[in-house]
Amino acid sequence: MDNQLLRNIPKVDELLRTIEQCGCCADAPLQTVTEAVREALEELRTGLKDGSLQALPDADALCARIAALVRQARLPSLRGVINGTGVVLHTNLGRACLSERAVAAVNDAARNYSTLEYDVQNGCRGKRYAHVEGLLCKLTGAESALVVNNNAAAVLLILSAMAAGGEVVVSRGELVEIGGSFRIPEIMESCGCKLHEVGATNKTHLGDYERGINENTRALLKVHTSNYKIMGFTKNVELDEMVALGRERELPVIQDLGSGLLLDLSPLGIQDEPTVQESIRAGVDVVSFSGDKLLGGPQAGIIVGKKCYIDLLKKHPLHRAMRVDKMTLSALEVTLRSYAEGTALQEIPTLSMLAAQALNLRERAERFQRALLDANIEAEVVAEWDQVGGGSAPTQLLPTYAVALRPKDGSVDGLERAMRIRERPVIGRIAHDAYLLDMRTLREDELPCVQQALKESGLV
Ligand SMILES: *Cc1c(COP(=O)(O)O)cnc(C)c1O
């Protein structure tokens, strides 16, 4: 009986003809369809042999299965998701989303030949970094600027070019580990410089830095403790004191600023994050920060500071190895233009999401709740707190609103999974025995898709 069924399994060619007739995979390449057909047939054979399948599916069911396999095979592994976590700078979800302007600029640079290293005025070779240098200097007040792949690379380049073979003085309270094994002490070692720790974890005084300086010292380093905060009985040396000490001893002062904020966000309730302008104004010689944290642009490491040091970095061989591509540069240029034109808060998603007021988020949550109810899905509107994410403003919590869903049958975990494993994954969070979708990071235009996903889960 099994053998008879096995013999009735269609041949690859037959099935390919059936698929062609039904047109369900019309836009897929033949090779992918053929592989899916083989896979589907193998599934049938296995099912018949192990008894999990009692009869052969009809042609429609087979076509549907093959179409699903083709869709799955063609789905990019790296693809967009819908972020319902409320974490604006979610490192695992790609940190900052680019502005519409930046997306358009990347598109233009990616599709076409570009002015990347071409000076159209003079018809000769141009400079790759000229597109952003002027803007960076204008926005931060620095003399000179440079861009590399990310801030970790920026720190590596700075220490390699300015301190190799010597010592760098750092406060014990600032020996930061950023995710993915970026640790200040290890970075130092790989740059061939020696870390000279001073002070205690909770307190470092100017005198500690003074005593830490010897004939091998090449620089003083300040690291923004972006992803943690030491509270209580603490003492930090102010930037201007450090700059004064650096001047006196003729040592450059370097700062790893982490996020690289260009706007004062304290009116939005984000108090802890220093701006790049403050560091430059205080006289720090070289400042580095990320492009895709609070700045809200593409992944990049931005370095601004005194021309004599930036020139040194530009000449270092590592600089060429850390070169950024045209898509990064075009996104960065246009993101910086939003700041220069005073439209950053409206145009840059990172900033507008952080700026969203609880009242507006509540209204959106209530609107979404009503839309869900019209689709026969019950949800509750709940007040919550959001983290900024991306190792920025770690102690800052922003008031927000979410819709909470409790499955009618099935578990909250099951709902979370059903939402996550879709072609366009929806990522929520679980709290108080409910599945939460936070309004801060959900775009208005994503809500219908979220609603569809909830419906299709069959769990709510
Ligand atoms: C995030 C961060 C880095 C690493 O920046 P990337 O752009 O992710 O490489 C380095 N230092 C500090 C203080 C940071 O917060």
Side-chain angles (χ1 to χ4, degrees):
M1 138 88 171
D2 273 359
N3 282 343
Q4 187 53 47
L5 278 176
L6 279 171
R7 271 194 295 277
N8 288 347
I9 289 180
K11 302 277 171 294
V12 173
D13 288 347
E14 274 171 57
L15 202 45
L16 277 173
R17 271 194 300 278
T18 315
I19 299 275
E20 202 180 325
Q21 276 156 18
C22 87
C24 65
C25 299
D27 59 350
L30 180 61
Q31 188 170 328
T32 313
V33 179
T34 310
E35 278 167 24
V37 163
R38 292 218 163 88
E39 199 178 331
L41 294 179
E42 192 51 42
E43 282 176 4
L44 292 185
R45 260 176 239 117
T46 314
L48 290 174
K49 279 181 193 156
D50 69 16
S52 60
L53 201 64
Q54 305 299 327
L56 287 178
D58 63 17
D60 283 352
L62 251 179
C63 284
R65 176 63 190 146
I66 288 159
L69 287 171
V70 165
R71 256 205 323 279
Q72 202 175 19
R74 300 194 76 197
L75 202 58
S77 166
L78 174 55
R79 61 188 192 273
V81 305
I82 295 177
N83 178 6
T85 66
V87 181
V88 175
L89 292 173
H90 198 302
T91 301
N92 302 146
L93 303 183
R95 285 197 191 153
C97 297
L98 296 180
S99 67
E100 291 300 331
R101 277 176 83 178
V103 170
V106 171
N107 199 11
D108 187 32
R111 291 179 66 88
N112 303 299
Y113 293 102
S114 64
T115 55
L116 181 64
E117 288 187 6
Y118 191 76
D119 177 343
V120 282
Q121 283 306 321
N122 300 303
C124 62
R125 183 174 179 171
K127 290 208 176 101
R128 173 177 289 254
Y129 297 104
H131 310 289
V132 294
E133 256 190 82
L135 277 164
L136 283 168
C137 292
K138 183 175 160 193
L139 289 167
T140 62
E143 286 174 9
S144 189
L146 178 68
V147 182
V148 293
N149 273 323
N150 52 34
N151 189 28
V155 175
L156 197 71
L157 174 62
I158 293 167
L159 292 174
S160 302
M162 294 174 65
E167 292 183 8
V168 176
V169 183
V170 192
S171 158
R172 280 211 171 79
E174 299 176 357
L175 298 176
V176 180
E177 170 174 329
I178 315 296
S181 77
F182 175 90
R183 279 188 181 165
I184 290 294
E186 284 155 27
I187 291 276
M188 290 256 185
E189 204 181 305
S190 69
C191 298
C193 40
K194 197 164 158 254
L195 172 73
H196 193 122
E197 298 172 37
V198 297
T201 305
N202 58 334
K203 283 199 170 200
T204 303
H205 302 270
L206 192 63
D208 293 322
Y209 283 99
E210 282 172 345
R211 280 187 297 279
I213 296 172
N214 60 40
E215 67 281 4
N216 294 323
T217 307
R218 298 281 187 276
L220 308 178
L221 173 67
K222 191 154 182 65
V223 184
H224 179 51
T225 58
S226 44
N227 54 6
Y228 65 99
K229 191 169 180 170
I230 298 175
M231 290 189 276
F233 187 58
T234 62
K235 163 90 178 108
N236 240 324
V237 173
E238 295 299 327
L239 265 186
D240 41 9
E241 290 179 284
M242 252 179 99
V243 168
L245 179 63
R247 294 272 153 77
E248 189 191 315
R249 303 296 182 93
E250 298 184 335
L251 290 169
V253 176
I254 300 166
Q255 188 177 24
D256 171 7
L257 203 47
S259 229
L261 192 57
L262 293 177
L263 274 183
D264 176 16
L265 289 189
S266 55
L268 306 180
I270 296 170
Q271 321 283 355
D272 289 345
E273 285 291 327
T275 62
V276 182
Q277 295 90 318
E278 283 169 49
S279 296
I280 295 298
R281 225 179 293 128
V284 177
D285 296 288
V286 177
V287 184
S288 79
F289 51 94
S290 290
D292 58 346
K293 289 185 180 172
L294 288 173
L295 188 90
Q299 179 189 304
I302 299 168
I303 310 173
V304 295
K306 302 268 162 67
K307 186 169 184 308
C308 58
Y309 295 114
I310 302 289
D311 284 347
L312 201 69
L313 302 184
K314 284 180 180 167
K315 283 194 220 104
H316 196 280
L318 268 182
H319 177 220
R320 176 62 177 81
M322 296 168 174
R323 180 164 105 168
V324 291
D325 76 323
K326 57 192 175 184
M327 290 182 279
T328 302
L329 278 172
S330 65
L332 184 59
E333 179 190 349
V334 172
T335 304
L336 294 172
R337 281 182 189 276
S338 290
Y339 284 95
E341 293 165 10
T343 49
L345 266 183
Q346 294 83 50
E347 289 176 350
I348 296 176
T350 301
L351 296 179
S352 51
M353 283 179 193
L354 288 172
Q357 294 301 300
L359 183 68
N360 297 333
L361 295 171
R362 188 169 95 190
E363 281 168 9
R364 283 184 63 202
E366 286 167 355
R367 269 203 310 279
F368 189 41
Q369 180 195 35
R370 280 195 298 276
L372 290 177
L373 200 60
D374 289 343
N376 226 350
I377 297 170
E378 261 177 62
E380 189 191 345
V381 172
V382 293
E384 281 287 316
W385 295 93
D386 282 337
Q387 289 184 328
V388 174
S392 304
T395 56
Q396 205 80 56
L397 289 174
L398 304 171
T400 187
Y401 283 85
V403 293
L405 295 123
R406 292 184 177 79
K408 289 193 183 112
D409 39 23
S411 64
V412 176
D413 288 342
L415 176 60
E416 187 276 331
R417 180 182 145 81
M419 297 294 282
R420 167 163 50 80
I421 60 170
R422 298 172 59 83
E423 286 185 19
R424 170 73 32 160
V426 179
I427 314 294
R429 66 172 192 251
I430 295 176
H432 329 296
D433 286 324
Y435 176 69
L436 299 192
L437 291 166
D438 192 311
M439 290 298 130
R440 185 179 298 279
T441 46
L442 287 171
R443 276 199 320 260
E444 203 68 39
D445 62 294
E446 291 172 330
L447 295 179
C449 182
V450 175
Q451 180 174 330
Q452 177 81 8
L454 286 167
K455 195 90 228 161
E456 285 173 12
S457 78
L459 296 170
V460 288

